[in-house]
Amino acid sequence: MATAPRAALPPLSGTPLVLGTLALSLAVFMNVLDSSIANVSIPAISGDMGVSPQQGTWVITSFAVSNAISVPLTGWLTMRFGQVRLFITSILLFVLASFLCGVAPSIEILIAARVLQGAVAGPMIPLSQSLLLASYPPAKSGMALAFWGMTTLVAPIMGPLLGGWISDNYTWPWIFYINIPIGLFAAWASWSIYHTRESKTVRLPIDKIGLALLVIWVGSLQLMLDKGKELDWFASGEIIVLTAVALVAFVYFIIWELGEDHPVVDLSLFAGRNFSGGVVAISVAYGLFFGSLVILPLWLQTQIGYTATEAGKVMAPVGIFAILLSPLVGKMLPKVDARFVASTAFLIFALVFFLRSRFTPEVDTMTLMIPTVIQGAAMAMFFIPLTSIILSGLSPDRIPAAAGLSNFVRIMFGGMGTSLTSTLWDSRSTLHHAQLAEHAGPSNPAFSQAVQAMQAQGMSEQGAWAVIERSLSVQAGTLGATDIFYMSAILFILLIGLVWMTRPVRSKTPVDAGGAH
């Protein structure tokens, strides 16, 4: 792949560096925010469009499927069109798609606009990563990744908070309209700074079969993950078919791409120990982290009686340490082994999930927030060093493809983490409910005493039974959630071994690889 040699491009400094970092970060923030902001607005969108909430969830699914397909195409698209042109075009099309989402008169047009939005959003994240690394001198590569990582980690937490606030105080189209000024500013600033730093383009044959297989297996897998719980997983013929199609297409995709001279996705990147080890570690960790982002607010709202806003406030402090520590980690990274930093992050994550595994239905807000605050430190310390490990040892021209492929795997694991966690929570809660119900009944003296005490207060027998049933459900739901938190803690400790399978990253490697300027 022939691109403009990065060595000819000096790093940015002064105002262009600040403005460039801001523009790239805003584009990433807008992109990641949009993947989660719609989640809490589905009831409002469904009601306004006159469709069921199940049909409304296609607003999320359509974005996720098209986004998952387009992310790994970043390297190939960069070769065809150039980094800067592709990045600016993605932002402007994202703004257009956001406008179309807001004005959509029907659910069908809204879903079509979301498909477009997800597709054009794909290259934005990996290209912002590549352009940002090329803007900083080698010694500041860790700082560049720190700024990039902050936006990627904080946006998913702010999405539900901002989406809920907009839906409550305005109308749901505004969750899309807010992208317009942000996107236009990011596009203008990015073009004004980076248009002279364009990479060369090469016209190579289009890998049509590889592209078709990618669309088939990723689309099938994403649909299976998004609709699995709703359709009761493998009790549904639709899910079985989707799984079979995804599996067969995936196997053929790997075989085809490894034998193709100009593959649409460069799978040879996985031959590198640092790339493969780093990608698996960051992806599994992201899946566990994203699963907790789903299950914790759900548990608080469905079992503990928190409102959506209160649950959001419990989750919000995770951004405090993430924002404060990211620059420090970026500054420290060139001086220490990235594997030590990543291992420390996983130990902190394990501690956070262990603390959550001790939660009870009577948990107070302060007890809930302590692990959340601590988790911010882990977030700052795992994303940056693992990204540094993934991109180390690669030539500058392979960075867009590597960033695209690693982000694709991470996003897919995030979706898998969400689906598997919610399904596992349901099954564990059902199991605990059955075990607890074995001890509830007239044969249990404590149960009989509880019923009699409530009847003495004027409650009917059926009412007393209903109160006890609700108590059992809350306890079972809590035990199911704490089981998952405990399992997550163990998995984070096991991930440390994967980190140490990679080679050490030297102080200049991340940016020598990511664009030795």
Side-chain angles (χ1 to χ4, degrees), residues 316-354:
V318 76
I320 296 173
F321 271 135
I323 292 171
L324 291 177
L325 292 182
S326 287
L328 296 177
V329 173
K331 189 175 289 187
M332 176 181 68
L333 197 57
K335 303 170 187 173
V336 298
D337 191 330
R339 297 175 300 176
F340 279 113
V341 184
S343 299
T344 304
F346 287 160
L347 285 173
I348 296 172
F349 267 126
L351 172 64
V352 166
F353 281 94
F354 176 75

mmCIF file of all heavy atoms in Angstrom, residues 316-354:
data_model
loop_
_atom_site.group_PDB
_atom_site.id
_atom_site.type_symbol
_atom_site.label_atom_id
_atom_site.label_comp_id
_atom_site.label_asym_id
_atom_site.label_seq_id
_atom_site.Cartn_x
_atom_site.Cartn_y
_atom_site.Cartn_z
ATOM 1 N N ALA A 316 -22.390 8.123 36.300
ATOM 2 C CA ALA A 316 -21.652 9.289 35.788
ATOM 3 C C ALA A 316 -20.249 9.475 36.378
ATOM 4 O O ALA A 316 -19.329 9.849 35.641
ATOM 5 C CB ALA A 316 -22.473 10.552 35.991
ATOM 6 N N PRO A 317 -20.021 9.242 37.695
ATOM 7 C CA PRO A 317 -18.687 9.519 38.257
ATOM 8 C C PRO A 317 -17.550 8.707 37.652
ATOM 9 O O PRO A 317 -16.386 8.992 37.926
ATOM 10 C CB PRO A 317 -18.852 9.162 39.746
ATOM 11 C CG PRO A 317 -20.308 9.271 40.016
ATOM 12 C CD PRO A 317 -20.969 8.844 38.745
ATOM 13 N N VAL A 318 -17.871 7.707 36.826
ATOM 14 C CA VAL A 318 -16.814 6.901 36.214
ATOM 15 C C VAL A 318 -15.914 7.766 35.330
ATOM 16 O O VAL A 318 -14.750 7.436 35.094
ATOM 17 C CB VAL A 318 -17.446 5.742 35.401
ATOM 18 C CG1 VAL A 318 -18.010 6.247 34.083
ATOM 19 C CG2 VAL A 318 -16.434 4.641 35.151
ATOM 20 N N GLY A 319 -16.451 8.894 34.865
ATOM 21 C CA GLY A 319 -15.661 9.747 33.994
ATOM 22 C C GLY A 319 -14.654 10.627 34.712
ATOM 23 O O GLY A 319 -13.740 11.169 34.082
ATOM 24 N N ILE A 320 -14.783 10.773 36.039
ATOM 25 C CA ILE A 320 -13.919 11.704 36.779
ATOM 26 C C ILE A 320 -12.455 11.300 36.672
ATOM 27 O O ILE A 320 -11.613 12.052 36.161
ATOM 28 C CB ILE A 320 -14.355 11.781 38.258
ATOM 29 C CG1 ILE A 320 -15.774 12.364 38.365
ATOM 30 C CG2 ILE A 320 -13.369 12.645 39.056
ATOM 31 C CD1 ILE A 320 -16.353 12.320 39.768
ATOM 32 N N PHE A 321 -12.127 10.101 37.162
ATOM 33 C CA PHE A 321 -10.740 9.638 37.121
ATOM 34 C C PHE A 321 -10.283 9.383 35.685
ATOM 35 O O PHE A 321 -9.107 9.559 35.357
ATOM 36 C CB PHE A 321 -10.561 8.364 37.945
ATOM 37 C CG PHE A 321 -10.234 8.633 39.391
ATOM 38 C CD1 PHE A 321 -10.877 7.934 40.412
ATOM 39 C CD2 PHE A 321 -9.288 9.586 39.733
ATOM 40 C CE1 PHE A 321 -10.578 8.189 41.743
ATOM 41 C CE2 PHE A 321 -8.988 9.833 41.060
ATOM 42 C CZ PHE A 321 -9.629 9.139 42.070
ATOM 43 N N ALA A 322 -11.228 8.965 34.814
ATOM 44 C CA ALA A 322 -10.862 8.706 33.416
ATOM 45 C C ALA A 322 -10.314 9.975 32.764
ATOM 46 O O ALA A 322 -9.311 9.948 32.050
ATOM 47 C CB ALA A 322 -12.074 8.194 32.640
ATOM 48 N N ILE A 323 -10.952 11.103 33.043
ATOM 49 C CA ILE A 323 -10.518 12.375 32.456
ATOM 50 C C ILE A 323 -9.256 12.898 33.146
ATOM 51 O O ILE A 323 -8.325 13.373 32.493
ATOM 52 C CB ILE A 323 -11.659 13.417 32.554
ATOM 53 C CG1 ILE A 323 -12.815 12.989 31.634
ATOM 54 C CG2 ILE A 323 -11.165 14.809 32.170
ATOM 55 C CD1 ILE A 323 -14.077 13.803 31.804
ATOM 56 N N LEU A 324 -9.206 12.794 34.475
ATOM 57 C CA LEU A 324 -8.070 13.344 35.224
ATOM 58 C C LEU A 324 -6.784 12.551 34.992
ATOM 59 O O LEU A 324 -5.699 13.130 34.889
ATOM 60 C CB LEU A 324 -8.390 13.365 36.726
ATOM 61 C CG LEU A 324 -9.468 14.349 37.184
ATOM 62 C CD1 LEU A 324 -9.727 14.189 38.682
ATOM 63 C CD2 LEU A 324 -9.064 15.790 36.878
ATOM 64 N N LEU A 325 -6.899 11.221 34.908
ATOM 65 C CA LEU A 325 -5.701 10.380 34.849
ATOM 66 C C LEU A 325 -5.193 10.112 33.435
ATOM 67 O O LEU A 325 -4.022 9.780 33.253
ATOM 68 C CB LEU A 325 -5.971 9.036 35.548
ATOM 69 C CG LEU A 325 -6.173 9.089 37.068
ATOM 70 C CD1 LEU A 325 -6.386 7.680 37.606
ATOM 71 C CD2 LEU A 325 -4.974 9.730 37.756
ATOM 72 N N SER A 326 -6.072 10.231 32.422
ATOM 73 C CA SER A 326 -5.643 9.918 31.056
ATOM 74 C C SER A 326 -4.411 10.708 30.617
ATOM 75 O O SER A 326 -3.451 10.129 30.083
ATOM 76 C CB SER A 326 -6.797 10.132 30.067
ATOM 77 O OG SER A 326 -7.751 9.110 30.214
ATOM 78 N N PRO A 327 -4.347 12.038 30.822
ATOM 79 C CA PRO A 327 -3.125 12.767 30.437
ATOM 80 C C PRO A 327 -1.886 12.304 31.205
ATOM 81 O O PRO A 327 -0.789 12.249 30.647
ATOM 82 C CB PRO A 327 -3.469 14.226 30.774
ATOM 83 C CG PRO A 327 -4.949 14.287 30.787
ATOM 84 C CD PRO A 327 -5.400 12.959 31.289
ATOM 85 N N LEU A 328 -2.071 11.958 32.492
ATOM 86 C CA LEU A 328 -0.936 11.490 33.298
ATOM 87 C C LEU A 328 -0.424 10.150 32.779
ATOM 88 O O LEU A 328 0.783 9.921 32.692
ATOM 89 C CB LEU A 328 -1.352 11.361 34.771
ATOM 90 C CG LEU A 328 -1.752 12.662 35.470
ATOM 91 C CD1 LEU A 328 -2.202 12.378 36.897
ATOM 92 C CD2 LEU A 328 -0.587 13.648 35.479
ATOM 93 N N VAL A 329 -1.363 9.263 32.433
ATOM 94 C CA VAL A 329 -0.965 7.961 31.889
ATOM 95 C C VAL A 329 -0.262 8.155 30.547
ATOM 96 O O VAL A 329 0.753 7.511 30.260
ATOM 97 C CB VAL A 329 -2.198 7.047 31.722
ATOM 98 C CG1 VAL A 329 -1.828 5.757 30.993
ATOM 99 C CG2 VAL A 329 -2.799 6.714 33.081
ATOM 100 N N GLY A 330 -0.787 9.072 29.728
ATOM 101 C CA GLY A 330 -0.160 9.356 28.437
ATOM 102 C C GLY A 330 1.256 9.872 28.588
ATOM 103 O O GLY A 330 2.157 9.502 27.820
ATOM 104 N N LYS A 331 1.484 10.718 29.594
ATOM 105 C CA LYS A 331 2.816 11.266 29.828
ATOM 106 C C LYS A 331 3.763 10.201 30.383
ATOM 107 O O LYS A 331 4.957 10.176 30.084
ATOM 108 C CB LYS A 331 2.710 12.435 30.812
ATOM 109 C CG LYS A 331 4.001 13.225 30.982
ATOM 110 C CD LYS A 331 3.783 14.437 31.872
ATOM 111 C CE LYS A 331 2.963 15.502 31.182
ATOM 112 N NZ LYS A 331 2.885 16.762 31.960
ATOM 113 N N MET A 332 3.206 9.285 31.184
ATOM 114 C CA MET A 332 4.015 8.265 31.847
ATOM 115 C C MET A 332 4.368 7.101 30.911
ATOM 116 O O MET A 332 5.417 6.457 31.057
ATOM 117 C CB MET A 332 3.232 7.744 33.050
ATOM 118 C CG MET A 332 3.858 6.604 33.823
ATOM 119 S SD MET A 332 2.799 6.091 35.199
ATOM 120 C CE MET A 332 1.410 5.380 34.324
ATOM 121 N N LEU A 333 3.519 6.855 29.922
ATOM 122 C CA LEU A 333 3.622 5.639 29.110
ATOM 123 C C LEU A 333 4.981 5.455 28.419
ATOM 124 O O LEU A 333 5.514 4.336 28.407
ATOM 125 C CB LEU A 333 2.496 5.619 28.071
ATOM 126 C CG LEU A 333 2.201 4.264 27.427
ATOM 127 C CD1 LEU A 333 1.860 3.218 28.481
ATOM 128 C CD2 LEU A 333 1.054 4.385 26.428
ATOM 129 N N PRO A 334 5.585 6.519 27.837
ATOM 130 C CA PRO A 334 6.888 6.295 27.178
ATOM 131 C C PRO A 334 7.995 5.873 28.136
ATOM 132 O O PRO A 334 9.019 5.355 27.703
ATOM 133 C CB PRO A 334 7.205 7.668 26.553
ATOM 134 C CG PRO A 334 5.892 8.361 26.449
ATOM 135 C CD PRO A 334 5.103 7.893 27.626
ATOM 136 N N LYS A 335 7.801 6.086 29.452
ATOM 137 C CA LYS A 335 8.864 5.815 30.426
ATOM 138 C C LYS A 335 8.716 4.461 31.112
ATOM 139 O O LYS A 335 9.629 4.004 31.793
ATOM 140 C CB LYS A 335 8.879 6.919 31.494
ATOM 141 C CG LYS A 335 9.049 8.328 30.914
ATOM 142 C CD LYS A 335 8.801 9.376 31.977
ATOM 143 C CE LYS A 335 8.792 10.788 31.379
ATOM 144 N NZ LYS A 335 8.393 11.812 32.350
ATOM 145 N N VAL A 336 7.558 3.827 30.979
ATOM 146 C CA VAL A 336 7.335 2.550 31.666
ATOM 147 C C VAL A 336 6.830 1.511 30.661
ATOM 148 O O VAL A 336 6.377 1.856 29.569
ATOM 149 C CB VAL A 336 6.312 2.697 32.819
ATOM 150 C CG1 VAL A 336 6.809 3.660 33.866
ATOM 151 C CG2 VAL A 336 4.956 3.146 32.284
ATOM 152 N N ASP A 337 6.909 0.250 31.055
ATOM 153 C CA ASP A 337 6.420 -0.842 30.228
ATOM 154 C C ASP A 337 4.892 -0.783 30.186
ATOM 155 O O ASP A 337 4.228 -0.830 31.225
ATOM 156 C CB ASP A 337 6.886 -2.179 30.824
ATOM 157 C CG ASP A 337 6.655 -3.356 29.879
ATOM 158 O OD1 ASP A 337 5.700 -3.302 29.080
ATOM 159 O OD2 ASP A 337 7.426 -4.333 29.939
ATOM 160 N N ALA A 338 4.334 -0.685 28.986
ATOM 161 C CA ALA A 338 2.878 -0.583 28.825
ATOM 162 C C ALA A 338 2.159 -1.782 29.438
ATOM 163 O O ALA A 338 1.014 -1.676 29.888
ATOM 164 C CB ALA A 338 2.528 -0.466 27.342
ATOM 165 N N ARG A 339 2.836 -2.931 29.508
ATOM 166 C CA ARG A 339 2.205 -4.127 30.062
ATOM 167 C C ARG A 339 1.951 -3.993 31.556
ATOM 168 O O ARG A 339 0.966 -4.520 32.082
ATOM 169 C CB ARG A 339 3.077 -5.358 29.768
ATOM 170 C CG ARG A 339 3.235 -5.634 28.265
ATOM 171 C CD ARG A 339 4.194 -6.777 28.001
ATOM 172 N NE ARG A 339 5.528 -6.492 28.528
ATOM 173 C CZ ARG A 339 6.532 -7.359 28.502
ATOM 174 N NH1 ARG A 339 6.364 -8.552 27.959
ATOM 175 N NH2 ARG A 339 7.717 -7.031 28.998
ATOM 176 N N PHE A 340 2.857 -3.272 32.265
ATOM 177 C CA PHE A 340 2.628 -3.024 33.690
ATOM 178 C C PHE A 340 1.396 -2.155 33.904
ATOM 179 O O PHE A 340 0.587 -2.408 34.799
ATOM 180 C CB PHE A 340 3.849 -2.323 34.319
ATOM 181 C CG PHE A 340 4.979 -3.257 34.674
ATOM 182 C CD1 PHE A 340 6.191 -3.201 34.002
ATOM 183 C CD2 PHE A 340 4.819 -4.189 35.696
ATOM 184 C CE1 PHE A 340 7.229 -4.065 34.328
ATOM 185 C CE2 PHE A 340 5.846 -5.059 36.024
ATOM 186 C CZ PHE A 340 7.052 -4.998 35.339
ATOM 187 N N VAL A 341 1.247 -1.129 33.061
ATOM 188 C CA VAL A 341 0.099 -0.214 33.191
ATOM 189 C C VAL A 341 -1.200 -0.962 32.906
ATOM 190 O O VAL A 341 -2.182 -0.835 33.648
ATOM 191 C CB VAL A 341 0.256 0.985 32.240
ATOM 192 C CG1 VAL A 341 -0.887 1.974 32.440
ATOM 193 C CG2 VAL A 341 1.596 1.686 32.450
ATOM 194 N N ALA A 342 -1.226 -1.761 31.827
ATOM 195 C CA ALA A 342 -2.431 -2.521 31.474
ATOM 196 C C ALA A 342 -2.769 -3.538 32.559
ATOM 197 O O ALA A 342 -3.943 -3.722 32.910
ATOM 198 C CB ALA A 342 -2.234 -3.217 30.130
ATOM 199 N N SER A 343 -1.745 -4.187 33.133
ATOM 200 C CA SER A 343 -1.975 -5.171 34.196
ATOM 201 C C SER A 343 -2.568 -4.499 35.433
ATOM 202 O O SER A 343 -3.477 -5.043 36.082
ATOM 203 C CB SER A 343 -0.664 -5.875 34.569
ATOM 204 O OG SER A 343 -0.129 -6.565 33.457
ATOM 205 N N THR A 344 -2.052 -3.308 35.760
ATOM 206 C CA THR A 344 -2.599 -2.553 36.893
ATOM 207 C C THR A 344 -4.064 -2.220 36.651
ATOM 208 O O THR A 344 -4.911 -2.316 37.556
ATOM 209 C CB THR A 344 -1.800 -1.249 37.109
ATOM 210 O OG1 THR A 344 -0.428 -1.571 37.295
ATOM 211 C CG2 THR A 344 -2.312 -0.484 38.319
ATOM 212 N N ALA A 345 -4.384 -1.833 35.415
ATOM 213 C CA ALA A 345 -5.771 -1.511 35.066
ATOM 214 C C ALA A 345 -6.682 -2.716 35.275
ATOM 215 O O ALA A 345 -7.778 -2.600 35.843
ATOM 216 C CB ALA A 345 -5.843 -1.039 33.622
ATOM 217 N N PHE A 346 -6.225 -3.895 34.838
ATOM 218 C CA PHE A 346 -7.053 -5.087 34.981
ATOM 219 C C PHE A 346 -7.225 -5.486 36.450
ATOM 220 O O PHE A 346 -8.272 -6.003 36.849
ATOM 221 C CB PHE A 346 -6.459 -6.243 34.173
ATOM 222 C CG PHE A 346 -6.650 -6.081 32.685
ATOM 223 C CD1 PHE A 346 -5.843 -6.778 31.790
ATOM 224 C CD2 PHE A 346 -7.610 -5.233 32.173
ATOM 225 C CE1 PHE A 346 -6.019 -6.634 30.423
ATOM 226 C CE2 PHE A 346 -7.797 -5.079 30.807
ATOM 227 C CZ PHE A 346 -6.996 -5.781 29.921
ATOM 228 N N LEU A 347 -6.182 -5.260 37.264
ATOM 229 C CA LEU A 347 -6.316 -5.518 38.704
ATOM 230 C C LEU A 347 -7.351 -4.583 39.335
ATOM 231 O O LEU A 347 -8.150 -4.994 40.186
ATOM 232 C CB LEU A 347 -4.960 -5.346 39.403
ATOM 233 C CG LEU A 347 -3.943 -6.479 39.200
ATOM 234 C CD1 LEU A 347 -2.597 -6.102 39.806
ATOM 235 C CD2 LEU A 347 -4.457 -7.789 39.818
ATOM 236 N N ILE A 348 -7.340 -3.305 38.896
ATOM 237 C CA ILE A 348 -8.324 -2.349 39.420
ATOM 238 C C ILE A 348 -9.728 -2.736 38.971
ATOM 239 O O ILE A 348 -10.687 -2.688 39.760
ATOM 240 C CB ILE A 348 -7.975 -0.910 38.972
ATOM 241 C CG1 ILE A 348 -6.634 -0.477 39.562
ATOM 242 C CG2 ILE A 348 -9.069 0.069 39.405
ATOM 243 C CD1 ILE A 348 -6.123 0.846 39.027
ATOM 244 N N PHE A 349 -9.856 -3.139 37.700
ATOM 245 C CA PHE A 349 -11.159 -3.614 37.219
ATOM 246 C C PHE A 349 -11.640 -4.807 38.050
ATOM 247 O O PHE A 349 -12.823 -4.896 38.405
ATOM 248 C CB PHE A 349 -11.063 -4.034 35.747
ATOM 249 C CG PHE A 349 -11.412 -2.954 34.769
ATOM 250 C CD1 PHE A 349 -10.536 -2.610 33.748
ATOM 251 C CD2 PHE A 349 -12.627 -2.278 34.840
ATOM 252 C CE1 PHE A 349 -10.855 -1.616 32.831
ATOM 253 C CE2 PHE A 349 -12.954 -1.292 33.928
ATOM 254 C CZ PHE A 349 -12.069 -0.946 32.921
ATOM 255 N N ALA A 350 -10.731 -5.739 38.336
ATOM 256 C CA ALA A 350 -11.095 -6.908 39.145
ATOM 257 C C ALA A 350 -11.586 -6.481 40.527
ATOM 258 O O ALA A 350 -12.575 -7.018 41.039
ATOM 259 C CB ALA A 350 -9.899 -7.851 39.266
ATOM 260 N N LEU A 351 -10.898 -5.489 41.129
ATOM 261 C CA LEU A 351 -11.326 -4.973 42.432
ATOM 262 C C LEU A 351 -12.712 -4.341 42.343
ATOM 263 O O LEU A 351 -13.575 -4.573 43.205
ATOM 264 C CB LEU A 351 -10.313 -3.939 42.931
ATOM 265 C CG LEU A 351 -10.714 -3.152 44.198
ATOM 266 C CD1 LEU A 351 -10.846 -4.095 45.389
ATOM 267 C CD2 LEU A 351 -9.689 -2.046 44.480
ATOM 268 N N VAL A 352 -12.939 -3.552 41.302
ATOM 269 C CA VAL A 352 -14.234 -2.886 41.103
ATOM 270 C C VAL A 352 -15.361 -3.912 41.018
ATOM 271 O O VAL A 352 -16.396 -3.788 41.694
ATOM 272 C CB VAL A 352 -14.206 -2.014 39.826
ATOM 273 C CG1 VAL A 352 -15.615 -1.591 39.410
ATOM 274 C CG2 VAL A 352 -13.330 -0.790 40.035
ATOM 275 N N PHE A 353 -15.164 -4.939 40.213
ATOM 276 C CA PHE A 353 -16.223 -5.935 40.040
ATOM 277 C C PHE A 353 -16.374 -6.822 41.282
ATOM 278 O O PHE A 353 -17.481 -7.295 41.571
ATOM 279 C CB PHE A 353 -15.965 -6.773 38.788
ATOM 280 C CG PHE A 353 -16.368 -6.062 37.524
ATOM 281 C CD1 PHE A 353 -15.443 -5.319 36.796
ATOM 282 C CD2 PHE A 353 -17.669 -6.111 37.077
ATOM 283 C CE1 PHE A 353 -15.820 -4.647 35.650
ATOM 284 C CE2 PHE A 353 -18.062 -5.443 35.921
ATOM 285 C CZ PHE A 353 -17.129 -4.705 35.207
ATOM 286 N N PHE A 354 -15.295 -7.022 42.012
ATOM 287 C CA PHE A 354 -15.419 -7.766 43.274
ATOM 288 C C PHE A 354 -16.252 -6.965 44.275
ATOM 289 O O PHE A 354 -17.107 -7.531 44.969
ATOM 290 C CB PHE A 354 -14.032 -8.066 43.859
ATOM 291 C CG PHE A 354 -14.094 -8.742 45.204
ATOM 292 C CD1 PHE A 354 -14.441 -10.090 45.298
ATOM 293 C CD2 PHE A 354 -13.840 -8.033 46.369
ATOM 294 C CE1 PHE A 354 -14.517 -10.714 46.539
ATOM 295 C CE2 PHE A 354 -13.920 -8.651 47.605
ATOM 296 C CZ PHE A 354 -14.259 -9.998 47.694
#
